[in-house]
Amino acid sequence: MSELIPAPRAATAGSGGVRLTRDSRLCADSATEGVGRWLSAVLRQATGLPLREGREPGDAEGGIGLRLGTGLGPEEYRLVSDDSGVLVEGGSAAGVFWGAQTLRQLLGPDAYRRAPLDRDRAWSVPHLTIEDAPRFRWRGLMLDVARHFMPKEGVLRYLDLMAAHKLNVLHFHLTDDQGWRIEIERHPRLTEIGSWRARTKTGHRASPLWEDKPHGGYYTQDDIREIVAYAAERHITVVPEIDVPGHSQAAIAAYPELGNTDVIDTASLSVWDTWGINPNVLAPTDNTLRFYEGVFEEVLELFPSEFVHVGGDECPKDQWRQSETAQARIRELGLADEDELQSWFIGHFDAWLRARGRRLIGWDEILEGGLAEGAAVSSWRGYAGGVAAARAGHDVVMCPEQQVYLDHRQDPGPDEPVPIGWVRTLEDVYRFEPVPPELTPEEARHVLGTQANLWTEVMEDHARVDYQAFPRLAAFAEVAWSALPAPAERDFAGFRRRMAAHYGRLDALGVAYRPPAGPLPWQRRPGVPGRPIDGPPPHR
């Protein structure tokens, strides 16, 4: 019980345990049938036990019962293991699902395997009572599949890893300068041309190294439907990101008329093969707006999420300053400058999404020039954007680069592969506090939650993504779920002790995490330059 991650709100140990046998049954009520199917599937493959379907959750003597409970919040659950069996109750199917994840942890690391190691092994759940609920409604992971494409099977795997850590929002970064990853039927060249680049920079953008082979891929609309459905079965919401008006060279390479044609020869552009902030941004024309409205129409059909992410970050204004078309639009709209032009661009899609019952969310640069009521902010440039947004009445997801960008290096040692950014150790992430202390209680209510971000410029495959994500994502998950003390008062020694058991779960899941002693030889990238930043990161 003491090895659970994230830590539950309250847990009381009993004496004895519930032994699962070939006669044990798994009983779910009508509202929790989906959770029952998931739990029986994963436990059958790990234990070899049949776990036949029972009749009523309350009759699961010697087995497992799943049902809705009274007086519980939507994601809250109660798990009771005693002489009558194991009963998981939740305020909704989501709460029951999180309780089922806890039950899986209680069975030990081998409960995460896809086949039993020993069919004669005894499986038991200790007698106990756990009452638990999340601190935040948004417990997210941003997965960047634009810089390095992750095949569909890898995305489904990460949804399972998220669910195992009680994370419930996948922010799916689908488009950028280096690749367009989602099929749009009315604009086929977005994937025919925009999903592939001829070569790829290896390491930081200042590196002299290249991988001279094409890289790319994309998800068909059926792939997206499968990903969204798979996530929903695990009570995870997928929030798509379509980047505008910056980070758009892949789209411009496919459709040159989207760029600032009166400034550069957009027809000569290809999908970008290096990293950094790209000067080639969308032209603020009616044609561009209609084009992206068509994109978003198809996106809305595929993603039922309340929020749609539009990027809005790192949009250089140099081309707009030189473009007579952009300057004419500024004059036409009575805007003060190019910053207000970007605000107008974002505001157009905010209104467009609101008219269709959705909400816009974007990186904190969308605050510049004014932000429409109802839009939400992903605060990445420290805490300041989140503080400003919350004080202005906007909802916020806190994901400051200095704290929870998991592409940043984990250790100052020379063996750290392609070291990027500040050192963010497991302990640093565990002591991250999503709610800025300067917010009043009323302002703090606008903090929907928090999110860890995985930017994949230097992560060429799933093993590199695993290395950067874990074990730090486990610490982040506890920050997002558990009601922890103030950062300085958190029991990191206790968390590290619980992680000793959790590594066994990650091993069973095949996660290529960074070992506590440092990278294994095959995890290193000698000779590939990164961009380490010395010293502690700025707090704000």
Side-chain angles (χ1 to χ4, degrees):
M1 178 180 67
S2 62
E3 297 171 343
L4 296 174
I5 290 177
R9 181 178 64 193
T12 304
S15 59
V18 175
R19 184 177 178 185
L20 300 181
T21 69
R22 300 192 68 79
D23 296 324
S24 298
R25 295 183 177 270
L26 195 154
C27 312
D29 64 14
S30 59
T32 63
E33 287 178 356
V35 181
R37 285 193 298 271
W38 173 84
L39 184 60
S40 64
V42 296
L43 293 188
R44 282 171 183 163
Q45 68 181 12
T47 67
L49 300 176
L51 291 174
R52 296 179 181 88
E53 183 178 343
R55 287 189 293 274
E56 295 292 334
D59 298 333
E61 184 172 351
I64 300 167
L66 309 173
R67 71 183 182 193
L68 299 188
T70 58
L72 298 173
E75 292 191 280
E76 190 173 5
Y77 72 89
R78 182 188 302 114
L79 188 157
V80 178
S81 171
D82 57 25
D83 288 338
S84 62
V86 181
L87 179 63
V88 180
E89 297 179 297
S92 69
V96 176
F97 182 72
W98 304 130
Q101 292 288 355
T102 296
L103 171 59
R104 195 181 185 190
Q105 287 198 21
L106 291 168
L107 286 166
D110 287 341
Y112 290 83
R113 296 193 178 275
R114 295 189 182 182
L117 302 184
D118 179 1
R119 289 189 177 273
D120 296 325
R121 170 180 173 165
W123 294 88
S124 65
V125 180
H127 285 172
L128 47 70
T129 298
I130 294 174
E131 296 180 337
D132 201 7
R135 179 185 180 190
F136 293 111
R137 60 173 272 204
W138 186 302
R139 307 180 300 280
L141 174 69
M142 193 288 303
L143 186 60
D144 168 24
V145 296
R147 272 52 177 270
H148 277 99
F149 179 65
M150 179 179 284
K152 179 191 67 178
E153 291 75 12
V155 178
L156 300 180
R157 174 176 175 267
Y158 256 81
L159 288 167
D160 280 329
L161 292 173
M162 289 175 63
H165 292 83
K166 299 186 173 72
L167 299 174
N168 70 340
V169 177
L170 174 64
H171 173 172
F172 207 17
H173 184 79
L174 289 163
T175 73
D176 216 297
D177 301 301
Q178 296 87 0
W180 185 283
R181 305 295 179 214
I182 177 173
E183 177 187 26
I184 302 297
E185 291 178 347
R186 72 190 71 185
H187 302 308
R189 293 207 304 273
L190 286 172
T191 46
E192 291 171 359
I193 295 172
S195 69
W196 294 91
R197 58 180 182 261
R199 63 175 187 169
T200 298
K201 174 68 70 173
T202 301
H204 182 254
R205 62 181 176 269
S207 165
L209 305 176
W210 296 88
E211 184 180 43
D212 286 310
K213 70 176 183 179
H215 175 87
Y218 67 92
Y219 309 105
T220 67
Q221 294 204 355
D222 281 346
D223 290 338
I224 294 292
R225 292 184 182 98
E226 182 182 355
I227 288 167
V228 170
Y230 194 86
E233 289 176 348
R234 288 147 183 79
H235 298 276
I236 295 171
T237 299
V238 183
V239 175
E241 179 178 354
I242 305 296
D243 230 324
V244 297
H247 288 288
S248 297
Q249 183 162 318
I252 297 169
Y255 292 91
E257 65 271 21
L258 296 174
N260 295 283
T261 57
D262 58 346
V263 176
I264 64 162
D265 177 14
T266 56
S268 68
L269 295 177
S270 59
V271 177
W272 211 26
D273 56 12
T274 189
W275 321 122
I277 299 176
N278 189 299
N280 297 304
V281 303
L282 298 175
T285 63
D286 289 343
N287 175 67
T288 299
L289 297 181
R290 300 294 89 76
F291 182 97
Y292 274 87
E293 286 171 359
V295 169
F296 281 115
E297 282 179 7
E298 296 192 27
V299 167
L300 296 193
E301 291 173 0
L302 295 167
F303 295 92
S305 56
E306 174 187 3
F307 288 97
V308 174
H309 208 291
V310 300
D313 64 318
E314 296 180 332
C315 177
K317 310 299 193 298
D318 293 343
Q319 290 184 359
W320 288 353
R321 294 187 185 97
Q322 300 169 38
S323 167
E324 179 51 37
T325 300
Q327 293 302 310
R329 173 123 290 183
I330 289 174
R331 293 191 297 270
E332 171 197 340
L333 297 170
L335 304 177
D337 54 23
E338 291 76 19
D339 285 340
E340 288 195 5
L341 182 62
Q342 179 173 349
S343 179
W344 164 82
F345 198 107
I346 297 297
H348 173 87
F349 287 102
D350 176 76
W352 190 91
L353 289 167
R354 280 190 289 115
R356 289 154 181 80
R358 306 297 186 94
R359 293 181 65 187
L360 179 145
I361 186 169
W363 303 110
D364 55 53
E365 285 96 328
I366 68 173
L367 289 164
E368 299 165 6
L371 183 58
E373 183 180 356
V377 170
S378 301
S379 185
W380 76 275
R381 295 180 300 175
Y383 288 90
V387 170
R391 286 177 172 168
H394 295 285
D395 289 338
V396 180
V397 175
M398 296 302 302
C399 49
E401 175 187 18
Q402 302 91 330
Q403 309 295 329
V404 288
Y405 268 37
L406 301 185
D407 48 308
H408 284 210
R409 57 191 172 136
Q410 305 185 60
D411 187 89
D415 290 332
E416 207 61 26
V418 200
I420 299 294
W422 292 285
V423 174
R424 295 285 84 194
T425 65
L426 182 66
E427 182 172 2
D428 290 331
V429 174
Y430 190 67
R431 297 193 188 281
F432 163 59
E433 172 49 48
V435 179
E438 59 264 44
L439 294 181
T440 67
E442 179 63 29
E443 293 165 345
R445 278 193 277 273
H446 285 291
V447 179
L448 299 177
T450 183
Q451 178 175 289
N453 292 346
L454 277 169
W455 299 104
T456 62
E457 286 93 335
V458 298
M459 301 180 213
E460 70 277 8
D461 56 32
H462 87 269
R464 281 287 290 126
V465 176
D466 281 4
Y467 180 92
Q468 293 300 134
F470 290 99
R472 292 181 297 179
L473 193 63
F476 172 80
E478 183 149 309
V479 169
W481 177 276
S482 306
L484 298 176
E489 299 168 7
R490 293 177 188 172
D491 180 12
F492 178 69
F495 175 77
R496 187 166 51 191
R497 176 184 52 75
R498 286 183 284 127
M499 276 302 303
H502 198 65
Y503 287 121
R505 300 179 190 123
L506 298 179
D507 285 332
L509 287 165
V511 177
Y513 58 85
R514 182 189 190 276
L520 299 169
W522 62 267
Q523 292 174 319
R524 299 168 189 160
R525 296 292 186 274
V528 180
R531 186 183 64 94
I533 303 175
D534 294 329
H539 183 61
R540 293 287 172 239

